[in-house]
Amino acid sequence: MTIRNLPDEVHNHLREQATSNSRSIEAEARAILVNSYVAKHTGGFGQQLRSRFQNMGVIGEELSVTRDKAAGDAADFS
């Protein structure tokens, strides 16, 4: 596969992302395409979680938690 006319900023971002993931640019592009395919065909990570825990009876229910609006104490690093 050859990708022509890829904007420089996209190519640079892909190169930086590949470097941060210790992969070649080709391997990074492959991982992005595979992840995109998997997300589309499995519904993504969120949908997998929903499917796994749907029988627990808590999906879609609101939690009744009262929010504490008091200011927190500042961190003491001494």
Side-chain angles (χ1 to χ4, degrees), residues 18-65:
T19 299
S20 70
N21 290 325
S22 301
R23 294 191 262 226
S24 67
I25 294 176
E26 179 183 349
E28 190 66 27
R30 187 180 310 112
I32 290 168
L33 292 170
V34 168
N35 288 338
S36 174
Y37 174 84
V38 169
K40 180 172 182 165
H41 289 84
T42 65
F45 182 68
Q47 186 60 40
Q48 289 177 21
L49 282 176
R50 179 179 291 273
S51 296
R52 179 159 174 104
F53 296 107
Q54 69 186 359
N55 296 327
M56 296 185 80
V58 295
I59 300 296
E61 294 180 18
E62 293 295 323
L63 297 175
S64 57
V65 178

Side-chain angles (χ1 to χ4, degrees), residues 64-68:
S64 57
V65 178
T66 305
R67 181 177 173 206
D68 180 7

